[in-house]
Amino acid sequence: MSAASCLLSEDQFLCSICLDVFTDPVTTPCGHNFCKNCINEHWNSDVQYLCPLCKKVFNIRPKLHINTLLSEMVSQFRQEAQQKASSSSSEQQAAKPGEVPCDVCTGTKLKALKSCLVCLTSYCETHLEPHLTAPRLKRHQLIDPVKNLEDRMCMKHDKPLELFCKTDQTCVCMLCSVIDHKTHDVVPLKEEYEGKKAELGKTEAEIQKMIQKRQLKIQEIKHSVDLSEEAADREKAEGVQVFTALKESVERRLNELIETIEEKQRTTEKQAEDFIKELEQEISELKKRSSEVEKLSHSEDHLHFLQNFPSLKAAPPTKDWTEVSVRPPSYEGTVVRAVAQLEETLSKQMKKLVKVEAEPKRVQQYAVDVTLDPDTAYHKLILSGDGKQVKYGNVWKNLPDNPKRFTRYANVLGKQSLSSGRFYFEVQVKEKTDWDLGVARESINRKGGTTLSPQNGFWTIWLRNGNEYSARNNPPVRLSLKSRPQKVGVFVDYEEGLVSFYDVDAAALIYSFTDCSFTEKLYPFFSPSNNIGGKNSAPLVICPVNQ
């Protein structure tokens, strides 16, 4: 029997009505085989008794008999299929919670590989094989395994939902399309699926654009917050600087006021002490005379009495204290004068702030012709012949070591110095990722490692990593700039203690050091920094000032 079943294809064991392996196969008079239950239900629901395959009509309902041979072959086929399923089940995975199980498996339900929309059944790898080999089953629509396949059947006609009514925007079966949706625009599910999928693709693209816009907006907002934070830090630093100066001024004026008042009080106390001391001395003398007078008045020695009487008769010489008094000092106007001086200090501070905010055009009138001093240049710096450009070189040059030369960092000073008045110069920083600019006092440390700060004699700003700007104050102040300066202007007002930096092209203030204490010569300070693998090879260029 096994050999006989092997001569038949698996397709020949399938009922053409249920498309599954025969169950109780019977043969019609025309010679075709069907499941007993399938052919009986077919004839029960049809007016005519015709063969579903050859369409032969029978006048009376034929009597059906079990096809014994085919039944045995089907049984053998089922056993072989079961054995095959059993042998392969060890290689396949049992369905886990949440996964779709095979509807055909008995015992342990294996994980379904596909679901058939025609059979409304989910199949594991073994039970799916007929759908992959049998010609009629190959026409069935297979999808990834899903649960509740019954939901894909029309509840009214018990037929697969394989069409879509565009008029009512709903899925329908074949009978629905010719009965309830006869005049509607009905298309196959696949056609509508492709159209809707294209729409969904557009929707997804639009959503992605919306996401990108919102992500950009988030970045923009975060950048605004960063700018705000940097501006806030800068303003706080400037505010602390200004108000610290004002606080120190207030404390200084208060101390002067208290000292003035206390000095007047000390003077008054000293005067009173002197008067009291003098009065106590006179009292002591008077008490002594009183004792002598009293003693003489009790004397019985007439001669002694008369001899001493002239010297004791008159009171001892004393000061006339009638007009003497200690008058409290007058403090009227002391506080008023102190407040007036404080107002004057505040007015000067306000004038400094106004000057700080001035545009570059005003300070350009103080332009000076700055050139680089080769005697101060670090050994790897390359200076142009006209002394207007400096860049970093990779070759160590044997240069004379003199007290003026920087020997540890890539720095160089300008030849021109300032010990009074104002001066201004401009430096091109285009195409550079790192640089330092500003002014330095003459006595700076040029031989060792020194932090750039006002305490060490440097008033500078710098750029690092192409976008990190900082004012080298104490502590350093991060700078938030709307655009990268291509040309930086440096302005110094010696008497006012002011060093300001400007974005020349944007005509905008970058940063100002205020209330600086200058006591010696100041020199322009430059550092092109290292090449950083060629990324920072562009030079710093001292430019002529175009007023």
Side-chain angles (χ1 to χ4, degrees):
M1 184 62 68
S2 176
S5 64
C6 292
L7 295 175
L8 300 174
S9 67
E10 294 179 356
D11 190 30
Q12 291 175 292
F13 291 102
L14 302 178
C15 172
S16 59
I17 296 178
C18 67
L19 300 177
D20 203 349
V21 179
F22 288 117
T23 302
D24 297 330
V26 295
T27 306
T28 61
C30 57
H32 293 115
N33 299 301
F34 305 95
C35 295
K36 182 178 180 181
N37 188 53
C38 290
I39 190 63
N40 281 330
E41 286 186 0
H42 178 71
W43 283 343
N44 289 338
S45 61
D46 207 342
V47 177
Q48 291 180 311
Y49 305 122
L50 55 80
C51 175
L53 286 177
C54 66
K55 307 302 181 183
K56 180 179 174 115
V57 179
F58 304 102
N59 296 326
I60 60 174
R61 184 167 180 160
K63 291 183 179 181
L64 299 173
H65 301 281
I66 297 294
N67 187 328
T68 306
L69 177 61
L70 182 58
S71 180
E72 291 178 358
M73 294 175 67
V74 167
S75 176
Q76 181 67 28
F77 175 79
R78 286 183 182 278
Q79 289 178 7
E80 292 178 356
Q82 187 68 33
Q83 291 174 358
K84 186 175 180 181
S86 298
S87 62
S88 61
S89 62
S90 59
E91 301 176 2
Q92 300 182 52
Q93 295 181 350
K96 298 177 182 178
E99 294 180 338
V100 179
C102 175
D103 294 327
V104 182
C105 286
T106 58
T108 301
K109 295 284 188 179
L110 299 181
K111 178 182 177 181
L113 191 64
K114 292 289 182 180
S115 293
C116 177
L117 295 180
V118 178
C119 303
L120 296 178
T121 304
S122 297
Y123 299 100
C124 65
E125 182 178 355
T126 300
H127 294 120
L128 179 64
E129 188 173 351
H131 279 75
L132 303 177
T133 57
R136 282 191 296 238
L137 294 181
K138 283 183 178 180
R139 294 194 293 269
H140 290 193
Q141 184 177 356
L142 299 175
I143 61 172
D144 290 333
V146 295
K147 295 181 179 180
N148 304 322
L149 284 169
E150 295 80 5
D151 294 342
R152 299 175 179 270
M153 296 293 289
C154 177
M155 298 182 65
K156 185 174 182 181
H157 302 109
D158 198 26
K159 298 291 183 182
L161 297 171
E162 52 188 347
L163 300 173
F164 185 82
C165 177
K166 302 184 75 171
T167 305
D168 292 339
Q169 291 292 300
T170 184
C171 296
V172 298
C173 69
M174 189 65 72
L175 288 178
C176 288
S177 66
V178 298
I179 299 175
D180 301 327
H181 301 263
K182 186 175 182 179
T183 59
H184 294 181
D185 184 8
V186 178
V187 296
L189 281 181
K190 186 175 181 181
E191 180 180 332
E192 184 65 18
Y193 162 80
E194 296 295 339
K196 286 290 193 292
K197 187 176 181 181
E199 288 183 24
L200 200 61
K202 293 180 180 179
T203 302
E204 174 65 14
E206 292 176 359
I207 292 174
Q208 289 301 322
K209 287 182 180 179
M210 294 172 68
I211 291 173
Q212 290 176 1
K213 286 183 179 179
R214 281 150 181 78
Q215 288 175 336
L216 290 174
K217 180 58 68 175
I218 289 174
Q219 293 177 3
E220 178 184 332
I221 292 172
K222 287 182 177 180
H223 182 61
S224 298
V225 172
D226 291 340
L227 293 179
S228 176
E229 182 180 3
E230 292 170 0
D233 290 342
R234 184 173 63 254
E235 288 301 313
K236 284 191 292 185
E238 292 178 358
V240 167
Q241 188 176 10
V242 171
F243 279 90
T244 298
L246 290 176
K247 180 182 176 182
E248 291 174 353
S249 179
V250 169
E251 290 177 348
R252 185 167 59 253
R253 297 301 179 191
L254 176 60
N255 291 334
E256 291 174 357
L257 172 64
I258 293 174
E259 179 62 28
T260 300
I261 294 173
E262 290 180 348
E263 179 62 30
K264 287 184 178 181
Q265 177 63 18
R266 285 195 295 269
T267 302
T268 302
E269 290 176 354
K270 180 66 169 57
Q271 184 184 36
E273 288 176 359
D274 291 343
F275 284 161
I276 291 171
K277 185 176 181 181
E278 189 175 352
L279 284 167
E280 287 178 342
Q281 187 174 356
E282 288 189 359
I283 290 172
S284 178
E285 292 293 331
L286 288 172
K287 284 183 177 181
K288 182 179 179 182
R289 177 61 60 89
S290 175
S291 177
E292 291 176 351
V293 169
E294 183 180 3
K295 183 178 179 181
L296 184 62
S297 66
H298 289 88
S299 176
E300 297 294 334
D301 187 343
H302 300 159
L303 177 61
H304 175 73
F305 180 89
L306 292 174
Q307 287 177 340
N308 289 284
F309 177 80
S311 62
L312 297 177
K313 177 182 178 182
T318 57
K319 184 176 180 178
D320 184 6
W321 293 92
T322 305
E323 302 298 329
V324 176
S325 64
V326 176
R327 297 175 182 175
S330 173
Y331 300 109
E332 183 178 356
T334 305
V335 176
V336 173
R337 286 191 294 274
V339 172
Q341 291 174 342
L342 184 61
E343 288 179 347
E344 183 179 355
T345 301
L346 178 60
S347 177
K348 289 181 179 179
Q349 191 67 36
M350 289 297 295
K351 288 179 180 178
K352 287 183 180 180
L353 292 177
V354 171
K355 286 183 178 181
V356 165
E357 298 297 334
E359 293 183 358
K361 296 298 182 184
R362 183 186 67 81
V363 299
Q364 285 179 337
Q365 61 183 304
Y366 302 106
V368 294
D369 184 15
V370 175
T371 53
L372 300 171
D373 185 354
D375 291 339
T376 66
Y378 178 65
H379 290 265
K380 288 189 177 183
L381 292 184
I382 301 174
L383 277 58
S384 62
D386 60 0
K388 295 294 185 178
Q389 299 186 29
V390 57
K391 64 180 180 179
Y392 190 88
N394 294 321
V395 178
W396 181 274
K397 294 182 291 185
N398 292 320
L399 300 174
D401 189 8
N402 60 69
K404 296 171 61 177
R405 189 178 308 283
F406 290 96
T407 57
R408 184 165 181 177
Y409 293 114
N411 304 332
V412 62
L413 298 180
K415 288 183 178 180
Q416 294 69 26
S417 65
L418 176 76
S419 56
S420 64
R422 304 176 178 90
F423 75 73
Y424 174 81
F425 61 94
E426 293 178 354
V427 182
Q428 177 182 295
V429 296
K430 184 170 58 175
E431 298 179 357
K432 292 194 66 62
T433 63
D434 294 64
W435 50 258
D436 304 66
L437 284 177
V439 294
R441 67 187 177 209
E442 188 174 26
S443 63
I444 55 173
N445 180 7
R446 310 183 190 202
K447 304 302 179 181
T450 303
T451 302
L452 300 184
S453 68
Q455 287 74 13
N456 295 326
F458 298 88
W459 292 266
T460 63
I461 64 173
W462 76 11
L463 169 66
R464 291 293 182 268
N465 302 318
N467 58 5
E468 298 174 9
Y469 294 91
S470 175
R472 308 313 295 167
N473 212 327
N474 190 18
V477 179
R478 288 178 60 194
L479 302 177
S480 175
L481 307 183
K482 294 181 179 179
S483 60
R484 291 185 58 182
Q486 303 297 300
K487 190 184 295 183
V488 176
V490 183
F491 172 70
V492 178
D493 189 325
Y494 197 95
E495 281 72 27
E496 289 291 339
L498 175 68
V499 180
S500 295
F501 298 86
Y502 297 93
D503 181 341
V504 177
D505 296 327
L509 176 70
I510 296 175
Y511 185 79
S512 286
F513 293 89
T514 58
D515 290 326
C516 307
S517 179
F518 301 137
T519 57
E520 54 187 278
K521 291 181 180 180
L522 298 179
Y523 288 85
F525 174 85
F526 309 84
S527 175
S529 194
N530 296 341
N531 280 345
I532 313 178
K535 295 180 180 179
N536 190 43
S537 59
L540 291 175
V541 182
I542 302 173
C543 305
V545 177
N546 298 319
Q547 299 185 23

